[in-house]
Amino acid sequence: MSSPLTELRRHLTGRVVLPGDPDWDDARRAWNLLSDQHPAAVALCASTDDVRAVVAMANEHDLRVSVQSTGHNATAAGPLTDTVLVKTSAMREVSIDPGARRARAEAGVIWSEVTEAAAPHGLAALAGSAPDVGVVGYTLGGGMSWMARRYGLAANHVTAIEVVTGDGRAVRVDHEHEPELFWALRGGGGGFAIVTAMEFALVPVAEVVAGAMFWPWERAEEVLETWRRATTELPDTVDSLAALIQVPPLPEMPEPFRGRSFAVVMAAASDGPDSIAGLLEPLRALEPEMDMVGPMPAAALGQLKMDPEEPVPATGGSVLLTDATPETVTELVRVAGPGSGSPLLQVELRHLGGALARRPEDAGVVGTVEGRYLVFGVGMPMGPDGAVAIDAHVATMTDALARWKADRSVMNLTEHSTAPRAFFAPGDYDRLVAVKRRYDPDDRLVASHPMTS
Ligand SMILES: Cc1cc2nc3c(=O)[nH]c(=O)nc-3n(C[C@H](O)[C@H](O)[C@H](O)COP(=O)(O)OP(=O)(O)OC[C@H]3O[C@@H](n4cnc5c(N)ncnc54)[C@H](O)[C@@H]3O)c2cc1C
């Protein structure tokens, strides 16, 4: 007997994969291999009409719908029981309008596809640190790029969004059309509508001065403190972070790094070498073991952080800080540096401020990031209790930094389902709830960090 889900196959150009199908495990797998999602079906949508068909079926049969392009943030979306998971990875069209300095990306496009298409025109995108992060998921959550201090959040460079609403309508939203929905989608996450394509501004940056410097991690405190002091004087065109990195002894890791631990500084300047001199000079005086900072194409920024490009199991968390003092550095090194026994493979202290602290006119719901620094820690669980140990250590780290903790959190760097109030100013949260009620009145759409209408 056919069920509504098998029936859905007749209405889609893309495929519908159901539990028991031979490729069920492949279809339900997310980039983050820790996510063990068990949706009612996976719809591999190929077009806006496919997405509309899924939403119509869900409305008719009282199912819910969740959307992923890559599954980088899948752990925050939960198990997805009684939910149809729309995967947009087949919707991959990218177009660049060099004259208008704009890009349009369909919902399954990843950042490397935009940066590579933009580069021949001397343009860059406000892309995520990893080349395979999804453009739409990243931008819906704000989007902090290697040029965030100069240009602010990626969400506030969006010019139009094509969506299917929870009640099944396909609409194009921008400042003039459905402005409340447009406001909510720029930083509020994916719970208000299913995005089928996004248009956004590109920036005229062809080349950057960027790279990483490595020291043995016994020198963590002096490196991180030297970096922190330098950040207090840097122009907005320089973005940087200092990190404590423990490289696992895996054969796929390159030889100079494999099985070693380091204090690292990574930085990118988008306006030439002069602006970054105030950061590089004091750090070079500390004689790094490896110094890879130099001119490179802006499109190569996706390789700077050496984030894994293949799916991995990962868990972690972030803390937004109002400020960082010498004591902040001491605490961070105590909980995540040499002798700490930390299971976190990477803990980074990132410099914010600049344009991230200035609300643009006509911004979306997240106009600014209300903290001067951000700490993010992540680990890759190896054994069955690995994830528990990593999450417990993130909690220890958060407690150690409690003195400097800002009131809000950053959605994109929150890996566990969190009450979304934490991401927004109180008045903005109430406004978001009103948008959710209007565009998804039956709470059909489940986002990472679900917000109910
Ligand atoms: C290795 C790594 C590097 C990262 N680097 C950065 C960084 O530099 N800066 C930064 O800001 N963040 C960064 N992130 C965080 C990243 O931006 C978030 O995890 C983001 O949610 C990923 O989007 P995605 O589409 O790839 O993931 P997915 O898990 O596919 O999607 C995440 C969520 O976005 C929503 N969503 C996705 N597509 C749609 C759609 N079409 N319609 C409606 N909702 C949708 C859904 O709620 C979904 O649950 C990084 C994450 C990782 C793992």
Side-chain angles (χ1 to χ4, degrees):
M1 204 178 73
S2 86
S3 73
L5 293 171
T6 50
E7 186 63 14
L8 184 61
R9 287 186 163 135
R10 291 203 306 116
H11 301 283
L12 252 61
T13 320
R15 292 185 53 230
V16 177
V17 188
L18 298 174
D21 285 348
D23 54 348
W24 174 241
D25 283 337
D26 285 342
R28 71 184 184 88
R29 186 172 299 125
W31 182 92
N32 189 335
L33 299 175
L34 264 199
S35 156
D36 185 23
Q37 43 197 9
H38 289 271
V42 177
L44 303 167
C45 289
S47 66
T48 300
D49 284 346
D50 280 4
V51 174
R52 290 191 72 196
V54 173
V55 172
M57 186 278 306
N59 276 315
E60 195 177 334
H61 298 282
D62 201 21
L63 286 162
R64 303 185 77 199
V65 182
S66 194
V67 195
Q68 286 168 13
S69 60
T70 66
H72 271 82
N73 201 217
T75 46
L80 301 180
T81 317
D82 295 331
T83 299
V84 179
L85 174 58
V86 167
K87 284 206 175 179
T88 58
S89 42
M91 297 172 70
R92 280 308 246 275
E93 202 178 285
V94 180
S95 54
I96 306 289
D97 179 343
R101 288 187 188 158
R102 282 214 185 139
R104 176 184 180 274
E106 283 193 333
V109 171
I110 58 173
W111 272 119
S112 58
E113 293 166 342
V114 178
T115 54
E116 282 162 22
H121 307 288
L123 298 171
L126 300 177
S129 66
D132 64 340
V133 161
V135 169
V136 167
Y138 163 97
T139 309
L140 289 170
M144 247 189 273
S145 71
W146 273 117
M147 294 185 268
R149 283 174 33 81
R150 181 172 184 182
Y151 293 110
L153 292 171
N156 293 320
H157 293 257
V158 173
T159 49
I161 310 180
E162 296 163 37
V163 299
V164 174
T165 55
D167 52 9
R169 289 175 298 133
V171 278
R172 181 185 154 91
V173 302
D174 58 23
H175 284 295
E176 277 78 46
H177 306 94
E178 317 281 354
E180 278 298 283
L181 181 56
F182 187 55
W183 170 82
L185 288 168
R186 288 176 297 140
F192 308 92
I194 298 180
V195 175
T196 53
M198 209 173 238
E199 284 179 17
F200 48 91
L202 300 167
V203 295
V205 177
E207 194 171 88
V208 292
V209 176
M213 292 173 160
F214 291 76
W215 293 261
W217 87 327
E218 290 70 26
R219 300 186 62 193
E221 186 143 359
E222 66 174 319
V223 171
L224 265 62
E225 176 51 17
T226 303
W227 168 83
R228 186 204 65 79
R229 223 176 307 122
T231 59
T232 60
E233 308 266 330
L234 289 177
D236 295 354
T237 47
V238 180
D239 277 77
S240 65
L241 61 84
L244 299 162
I245 297 181
Q246 304 186 68
V247 184
L250 298 173
E252 57 267 33
M253 295 296 162
E255 170 54 40
F257 303 102
R258 192 183 307 141
R260 293 190 58 198
S261 300
F262 297 94
V264 182
V265 170
M266 298 178 189
S270 55
D271 67 341
D274 293 347
S275 61
I276 201 172
L279 181 67
L280 298 184
E281 277 167 18
L283 288 167
R284 284 188 169 142
L286 299 182
E287 297 182 356
E289 184 180 322
M290 283 173 273
D291 180 349
M292 300 163 169
V293 180
M296 62 165 76
L301 282 172
Q303 270 73 52
L304 175 52
K305 260 190 82 194
M306 295 169 271
D307 284 330
E309 289 185 43
E310 295 301 314
V312 291
T315 185
S318 62
V319 197
L320 190 59
L321 305 181
T322 51
D323 204 356
T325 66
E327 292 74 34
T328 322
V329 168
T330 304
E331 279 300 289
L332 197 61
V333 174
R334 183 180 66 77
V335 291
S340 64
S342 166
L344 302 175
L345 295 185
Q346 182 153 336
V347 171
E348 61 191 49
L349 177 57
R350 183 176 175 149
H351 183 212
L352 307 180
L356 289 169
R358 295 188 290 270
R359 187 176 187 83
E361 214 183 310
D362 293 332
V365 55
V366 182
T368 56
V369 180
E370 304 283 317
R372 295 179 67 187
Y373 293 84
L374 177 82
V375 173
F376 179 68
V378 66
M380 284 187 206
M382 297 297 171
D385 297 328
V388 175
I390 292 167
D391 289 339
H393 207 83
V394 169
T396 303
M397 183 177 82
T398 307
D399 288 347
L401 301 173
R403 264 177 285 171
W404 301 282
K405 190 175 176 310
D407 290 340
R408 283 191 224 140
S409 305
V410 173
M411 180 189 285
N412 269 359
L413 299 173
T414 302
E415 304 241 314
H416 295 281
S417 188
T418 299
R421 232 177 235 287
F423 307 127
F424 310 110
D428 287 342
Y429 182 78
D430 296 340
R431 191 171 157 193
L432 284 176
V433 170
V435 176
K436 174 82 175 162
R437 287 204 182 113
R438 179 161 167 207
Y439 290 94
D440 183 25
D442 298 320
D443 195 16
R444 222 28 94 205
L445 307 179
V446 191
S448 293
H449 317 293
M451 162 184 273
T452 51
S453 52

